[in-house]
Amino acid sequence: MFGASLSRILLRKLFDDGIHHIRCTSTRFLCNQNQQVFPRYSSKVPRSWFNGSYANRFPPLNDPLPDLKLPRCLPDYVDPCPTTVTTLSNGLKIASEDSPGPAACIGLFVDCGSIYESEQFTGVTHLLERMAFKSTKNRSHLRIVREVEATGGNVGASASREQMGYTYDTLKTYVPEALELLVDCIRNPVFLDSEVQDQENYTAERMVLAAFGVDHKKLLAIAKPLLYDLQSGPVKVPKSTYVGGDFRYRADSQNTHVALAFEVPGGWHQEKDAVTLTVLQTPMQQTLMGGGGSFSAGGPGKGMHSRLYLRVLNKYQEVQSFSAFSSVYNDTGLFGINLTTGSDFVEQAVEVAADELLAIATPGQVTELELHRAKNATKLAVFMNLESRMIVTEDIGRQILTYGCRKPVQHFLRAIDELTLDDLATLAQKILSSPLTMGSWGDVDQVPSYASVSQHFRAVN
């Protein structure tokens, strides 16, 4: 007990002496510093910008510091790097666009999707999407995750009706490792080979390796050894036939959801119509049709200049949501309006939707101001999307699969500028002349009949 108390007393004394020494040393240091610093910047004259006291003691902020070399200012405009495309002997295309930044994105895109599924293999496209970046013959799933984490990368897979895409976003330094892992995950997945061979449209001439932020020669040197032996063999594209129709699903809900849609003939291959449809309806709310919910969740004023917001949501308080939508594919697509309202107002809401669609197809119903605003909003959406490396990589891959080449953004901007009110009316008339597709969910008892809704569009037909 006595020994322990003495030890604590000695430690306490040493601690107090140390603190006193530190305080004294700090005080002397501060005093010495003050004697050197204060005379230079202190004065009995009040510091004021008006009497110039600051200017006498400190250099102006707009004067360059002596012996300081600044880098050259960046130019106001830099020409974008061109997209370079190389076709391997087996038909596989490698496309890249370089960029000055430190990061890059690579993606492998396949002209393969749910349109190629047979009845026996329905859903295999979704399975391939969900199984992306899982175990391969060379790597376990854990190892794949660890390798992606080690590069600070971001991987993703997407499946659609006609195409599949696998992307890897990382620093340029890790492009060789990223590309090898990407190809391994696509070529060597671990699931039954019989299932893969029966539905594996992953042949060379149907694939595009796209990259953004990568030098093309360096990409070729890495990609050729990994992809040169991929087998080739064309696959016949199934023909899609649009028929229209009516589907109603009764659910326990106080609201009713209804969608009215029509075919977009030609799809992406009809480039002018595709651009016109994009201006007519894009994901941004400030487009020509636009629309949205009764509450502006994106902030004050979001979407409130679009036709459907001004003419429907502001006028009919019973309507909870009312917006245009589109789904465009290579050779066909859908365009229409979906709405949500109470069951007691659904019949009138469907009539309003039909009237709004017919108004677009009627010359003189859309103003030049509305078209001008929609064009600007569409351009803004294009430029915002192209700020993402992954979206640029996807744009390169999907354009080459669809058009056989990468068209520069200026090409689409010119097409938007050339769009006229007559083009809008002509496309709308072409769309509304196809059979009506009608779907409803919820309390569907008050939804008008398919025949009565179709009657609205017979004048167009």
Side-chain angles (χ1 to χ4, degrees), residues 67-355:
D67 302 326
L68 178 63
K69 296 182 179 180
L70 297 175
R72 292 186 306 169
C73 295
L74 294 177
D76 294 333
Y77 176 78
V78 178
D79 291 330
C81 297
T83 302
T84 307
V85 183
T86 300
T87 303
L88 301 184
S89 58
N90 58 1
L92 189 144
K93 295 182 178 64
I94 299 177
S96 67
E97 179 180 321
D98 204 353
S99 70
C105 182
I106 56 176
L108 197 57
F109 299 90
V110 191
D111 193 5
C112 171
S114 59
I115 189 176
Y116 300 100
E117 294 178 359
S118 62
E119 293 183 1
Q120 184 181 0
F121 294 100
T122 300
V124 71
T125 301
H126 180 70
L127 174 65
L128 290 174
E129 179 188 16
R130 305 307 298 175
M131 293 297 294
F133 302 103
K134 297 298 191 296
S135 298
T136 71
K137 296 178 182 178
N138 305 312
R139 292 175 169 88
S140 65
H141 182 215
L142 178 61
R143 180 180 171 185
I144 292 174
V145 173
R146 294 303 188 204
E147 290 188 16
V148 173
E149 289 179 344
T151 63
N154 182 24
V155 297
S158 62
S160 63
R161 182 175 181 268
E162 296 165 331
Q163 297 173 353
M164 293 195 65
Y166 304 83
T167 57
Y168 195 134
D169 188 71
T170 185
L171 296 175
K172 290 182 178 179
T173 307
Y174 300 111
V175 165
E177 294 85 352
L179 181 56
E180 194 276 328
L181 186 146
L182 187 69
V183 174
D184 183 35
C185 290
I186 296 172
R187 296 195 63 179
N188 306 306
V190 180
F191 39 80
L192 295 178
D193 290 338
S194 59
E195 295 179 357
V196 178
Q197 295 301 325
D198 290 336
Q199 193 69 18
E200 184 69 18
N201 293 316
Y202 285 33
T203 54
E205 63 279 336
R206 306 179 66 82
M207 301 177 70
V208 173
L209 176 66
F212 178 71
V214 181
D215 180 76
H216 191 71
K217 292 183 179 180
K218 294 180 180 179
L219 181 64
L220 284 177
I222 303 169
K224 275 187 177 181
L226 299 173
L227 298 170
Y228 78 97
D229 61 336
L230 194 66
Q231 66 178 357
S232 60
V235 177
K236 185 178 179 180
V237 180
K239 183 179 180 180
S240 300
T241 303
Y242 176 83
V243 295
D246 183 23
F247 178 80
R248 304 176 182 225
Y249 187 91
R250 182 176 286 102
D252 185 13
S253 174
Q254 296 179 354
N255 295 326
T256 305
H257 305 264
V258 181
L260 306 180
F262 299 85
E263 184 186 21
V264 181
W268 291 120
H269 287 155
Q270 293 290 337
E271 184 177 306
K272 183 177 180 179
D273 288 349
V275 172
T276 305
L277 183 66
T278 303
V279 175
L280 192 61
Q281 192 278 327
T282 63
M284 295 187 65
Q285 297 291 343
Q286 290 83 4
T287 50
L288 190 60
M289 292 288 281
S294 56
F295 174 72
S296 179
K302 179 181 179 183
M304 293 184 179
H305 292 289
S306 64
R307 287 179 62 90
L308 298 187
Y309 210 105
L310 292 172
R311 294 160 60 96
V312 179
L313 289 170
N314 283 350
K315 184 176 180 181
Y316 302 99
Q317 302 301 317
E318 299 87 349
V319 178
Q320 299 179 20
S321 67
F322 200 95
S323 60
F325 71 92
S326 64
S327 298
V328 184
Y329 309 106
N330 285 344
D331 298 310
T332 186
L334 291 175
F335 170 77
I337 290 178
N338 56 40
L339 61 93
T340 302
T341 184
S343 58
D344 56 342
F345 192 76
V346 65
E347 184 174 1
Q348 185 175 353
V350 170
E351 292 182 2
V352 171
D355 292 339

Side-chain angles (χ1 to χ4, degrees), residues 279 288 367-375 419-421 424:
V279 175
L288 190 60
T367 66
E368 286 286 352
L369 178 61
E370 290 176 315
L371 178 60
H372 179 71
R373 183 183 292 118
K375 287 181 178 181
L419 187 63
T420 65
L421 291 175
L424 282 178

Side-chain angles (χ1 to χ4, degrees), residues 1-9:
M1 291 288 293
F2 179 77
S5 300
L6 180 60
S7 300
R8 286 195 295 270
I9 293 173

